[in-house]
Amino acid sequence: MEAKSVLSRIPVLRVLVPFALGIMLHQLWHCWWAPIAVIAAAILLYLFFAWKSRSPQGRLRWRSYFVIPLALAALALGWLTAVIYCPPRLDEGQRAGRLLMGRVNTLEYTDFSMRMTVDVLDRDLPPCRVLISTRGCDYTMRAGELIAWHAKLGEVGNMGNPGEMDYATHLLNSEGIRYQQHMPLTQLKKVGYSPTLLSRLVNARRELQEQVFNSRLSDGAQRFVVALLLGNSSLIDKATRQEFSAAGVAHILALSGLHVGFITLIIWWLLFPLDYLKQKKLRLALTLAAIIGFALFTGGSPSVVRATVMIGFVFASLIFFRRSVSLNALAMAALVILLFTPSALYSVGFQLSFITVAALLVFARLPERYTSRHRWVNYISSAIMASIVAMLATVTLSAHYFHTISFMSVLSNLLILPVLPFFMVLGAIFLLVTAAGLHWHMLDGMLDGLYNYIRWAAGAVNAMPLSHMGGVYMSTFGVVAYFAVMALVVLWLYRRNFRYLLAAGVTLAVGLAHSLWTDAQIPRQGMIVFNSFTATPVLYYDHGTGYVWTPDEEDTDSASFARYHAGFLARYHINNLRFIANDTVVRLDGALFKPPYAHLMGHRLVAVGSGQWKHATAPGRLNVDEIIVTKRYHGGAAKLQELYKFDRMILSGAMHATVLTPLLQECDSLSIAIHPLSRQGAYCIPSSQ
């Protein structure tokens, strides 16, 4: 019997793949008339094939070609959808010098500021969402609040550091935000309150979250309950995130299909009396309604929506007695998400979620060939197999986005996942009890005990030798080559045709050759002054060792520095960091740190700002190549010209605008070459690196 093709088994792929390609095509060409033209071409092509298929012989000959106009139409629809949902560009008159009004959509607090997304309601502007941050906090502010402010919107930009996350693209794709503004809290005025359904849900989650944090549960368990059941994982501290990521179980910190699956099973079990009343369809419908309500209440993240849509298709097939194909339901879930949020295609969570589930479904039939007569053996082997498959499916994306690979994720999943449903059940009961204003000591103790066990398991796995490897760099080409190899290996496992295995070997060889060639092009030595909001870190690297000097005399958090610049460190194979204190002298082969001076890559540098440089200068003008002006400097450029003969001034990205603006104007009047880090990004020596 002839094997069915992938498109015949998963027909939604005929639409999903070209639809996703159309979304990617929008990144290259933003216009609305081109997809319209493609749709017209698809209609004409369909009419041509229909005319050719008038006879039985024609239908037999041309029926396989009808997939072409379908694919073209899906491509154009994906392109057009991305154009429609793309945030508009505003001209200078629309972005500044006018009074704007908007509705607060989401709201987050930090120690001394607020960060909110606001939907602009001005009739003269196209619908858009902006990011507003304030100096100072107003704890009475709620989602749905109507606010007014004088616009001075700027386009969201990146820091300009090599290897950094593309924050502007991330914000554009994840939240549809192109513009932002920072202002004092006093310039923001409340003008009313007009909540929507979503803003009411945001406020309800916030109130319930405040009740959780006012409870007697331990701090860590409180954050865990809020992350797993209210969908807010932003409050998980960085140390916990790093620990769980290294253990390979970072996916449990954010709501995903795993949690939705647990909740579905719990609700399904609670509704078991309906089976005795012969109301199985009602049981399915109520379970699905509860899951949809949970997805809406927690904010509707892509992974939760994906799981909800998949469960919806499976339950609908059971209600209407239709055969359900899991991969087809997964593809339909992806199509539904991309239809309403095309930018989700670039989301890390979307990619990890769908690839992991797709891999599990593809490999689901393989263990059937190796089943045992003992049920417990099958359970353990299935769990181990699922963990291995999930690890293999996400290892390259983890390396590409997070530059970390966990080798013990199978063990950590086996230790943690069995207790996670119990934590979620107790957490749900805890939320109900807390919302009712009650308190159960025993419930707090059980939740704290489970949380401490989960933390212990993650820490124990991390303590094992070779449990994980950091500083890994994986290019986009490497990710594509890896998944191509995996797809060919899967085809070989199912069809046992050695041509697939040979193609996998060739693809692997090409991927390795490309990786070795790109690594050979990476310089092993260089110097860079990073752009930062808090300091002016200088990094000199030489064959795998990096030396970090912060001339602002600010305390440098080594873990934060390594985490923020993980992409750069991994790309340049810097696996060892040393931090230079401002009261020490460090001599290296071809480099010297003698704060406030340094001699790096043949360049003489001096950092000014703390006062030490005034006492370390020579009686006459001292020759240097670059002057690093830190945030502590409040003098003028003419004063530095009296003391130094230099080629360029590097202005710290941490300088306040009230100090930076007059300094830029003075440098322009004196014809001084400058490099403001806040505007031009990091400064590299030599610039070709």
Side-chain angles (χ1 to χ4, degrees), residues 216-230:
R216 299 179 184 179
L217 203 62
S218 64
D219 291 342
Q222 288 175 354
R223 293 184 174 91
F224 219 58
V225 169
V226 169
L228 268 60
L229 294 171
L230 297 181

Side-chain angles (χ1 to χ4, degrees), residues 140-424:
T140 64
M141 188 77 73
R142 297 173 294 172
E145 205 88 54
L146 297 179
I147 59 174
W149 76 98
H150 287 280
K152 194 176 180 181
L153 300 174
E155 194 161 353
V156 177
N158 297 316
M159 298 292 290
N161 294 319
E164 70 178 350
M165 184 189 78
D166 191 349
Y167 177 72
T169 302
H170 167 74
L171 200 60
L172 184 67
N173 291 334
S174 63
E175 299 187 43
I177 294 175
R178 190 185 297 275
Y179 299 102
Q180 65 179 354
Q181 183 174 347
H182 184 70
M183 68 183 78
L185 181 61
T186 54
Q187 296 181 8
L188 199 66
K189 304 297 181 183
K190 296 181 183 179
V191 295
Y193 182 63
S194 177
T196 62
L197 174 61
L198 293 179
S199 61
R200 291 181 187 277
L201 292 176
V202 170
N203 291 330
R205 289 199 304 269
R206 178 184 169 188
E207 292 175 3
L208 191 54
Q209 178 179 301
E210 290 177 353
Q211 290 180 336
V212 171
F213 287 123
N214 289 330
S215 68
R216 299 179 184 179
L217 203 62
S218 64
D219 291 342
Q222 288 175 354
R223 293 184 174 91
F224 219 58
V225 169
V226 169
L228 268 60
L229 294 171
L230 297 181
N232 185 7
S233 60
S234 62
L235 299 174
I236 301 291
D237 60 276
K238 295 178 180 178
T240 303
R241 288 181 182 275
Q242 189 173 6
E243 184 179 39
F244 278 64
S245 177
V249 288
H251 57 279
I252 73 172
L253 295 178
L255 272 177
S256 64
L258 174 71
H259 305 83
V260 175
F262 287 152
I263 293 172
T264 303
L265 292 175
I266 293 168
I267 297 174
W268 177 259
W269 180 80
L270 291 175
L271 296 175
F272 75 92
L274 291 176
D275 270 7
Y276 294 100
L277 301 176
K278 298 182 180 180
Q279 297 292 328
K280 186 174 182 179
K281 289 186 178 181
L282 179 60
R283 185 183 184 189
L284 290 168
L286 290 176
T287 304
L288 181 58
I291 295 303
I292 293 174
F294 177 77
L296 290 173
F297 181 73
T298 55
S301 66
S303 56
V304 174
V305 173
R306 183 262 308 157
T308 303
V309 174
M310 273 197 69
I311 293 170
F313 276 102
V314 174
F315 279 21
S317 66
L318 294 174
I319 292 173
F320 297 106
F321 303 104
R322 293 289 188 269
R323 185 170 178 267
S324 173
V325 179
S326 298
L327 282 172
N328 205 46
L330 179 66
M332 182 58 74
L335 185 61
V336 169
I337 293 174
L338 294 179
L339 186 62
F340 293 99
T341 53
S343 59
L345 182 65
Y346 307 101
S347 167
V348 181
F350 178 89
Q351 296 172 15
L352 288 172
S353 176
F354 276 92
I355 288 175
T356 302
V357 176
L360 291 172
L361 293 176
V362 167
F363 282 92
R365 291 192 303 166
L366 291 179
E368 295 177 1
R369 305 178 183 180
Y370 311 102
T371 55
S372 171
R373 292 177 298 176
H374 303 285
R375 182 177 296 181
W376 64 273
V377 174
N378 292 332
Y379 174 78
I380 295 176
S381 62
S382 298
I384 294 175
M385 185 68 179
S387 297
I388 293 174
V389 168
M391 181 187 71
L392 292 176
T394 58
V395 62
T396 51
L397 287 177
S398 242
H400 180 68
Y401 288 113
F402 310 117
H403 311 289
T404 303
I405 295 178
S406 174
F407 299 112
M408 293 292 182
S409 59
V410 175
L411 177 60
S412 53
N413 277 284
L414 289 176
L415 291 175
I416 293 176
L417 291 188
V419 304
L420 198 60
F422 297 100
F423 185 91
M424 295 186 68

Side-chain angles (χ1 to χ4, degrees), residues 55-177:
S55 64
Q57 295 83 359
R59 284 194 295 271
L60 184 64
R61 178 181 178 183
W62 292 96
R63 66 178 182 179
S64 59
Y65 291 95
F66 278 90
V67 72
I68 298 176
L70 177 65
L72 286 176
L75 177 78
L77 286 175
W79 192 350
L80 192 61
T81 302
V83 171
I84 293 172
Y85 281 96
C86 183
R89 289 190 176 276
L90 306 178
D91 57 38
E92 187 64 29
Q94 293 174 318
R95 290 191 284 125
R98 59 186 299 169
L99 185 68
L100 289 181
M101 188 176 76
R103 179 188 292 111
V104 177
N105 184 46
T106 61
L107 179 66
E108 295 178 5
Y109 292 99
T110 59
D111 292 337
F112 305 104
S113 64
M114 292 192 305
R115 179 184 184 273
M116 62 186 77
T117 60
V118 179
D119 293 326
V120 177
L121 301 178
D122 197 310
R123 294 181 179 179
D124 297 334
L125 297 180
C128 61
R129 179 172 295 177
V130 298
L131 177 66
I132 302 293
S133 57
T134 65
R135 294 191 296 274
C137 296
D138 180 2
Y139 293 103
T140 64
M141 188 77 73
R142 297 173 294 172
E145 205 88 54
L146 297 179
I147 59 174
W149 76 98
H150 287 280
K152 194 176 180 181
L153 300 174
E155 194 161 353
V156 177
N158 297 316
M159 298 292 290
N161 294 319
E164 70 178 350
M165 184 189 78
D166 191 349
Y167 177 72
T169 302
H170 167 74
L171 200 60
L172 184 67
N173 291 334
S174 63
E175 299 187 43
I177 294 175

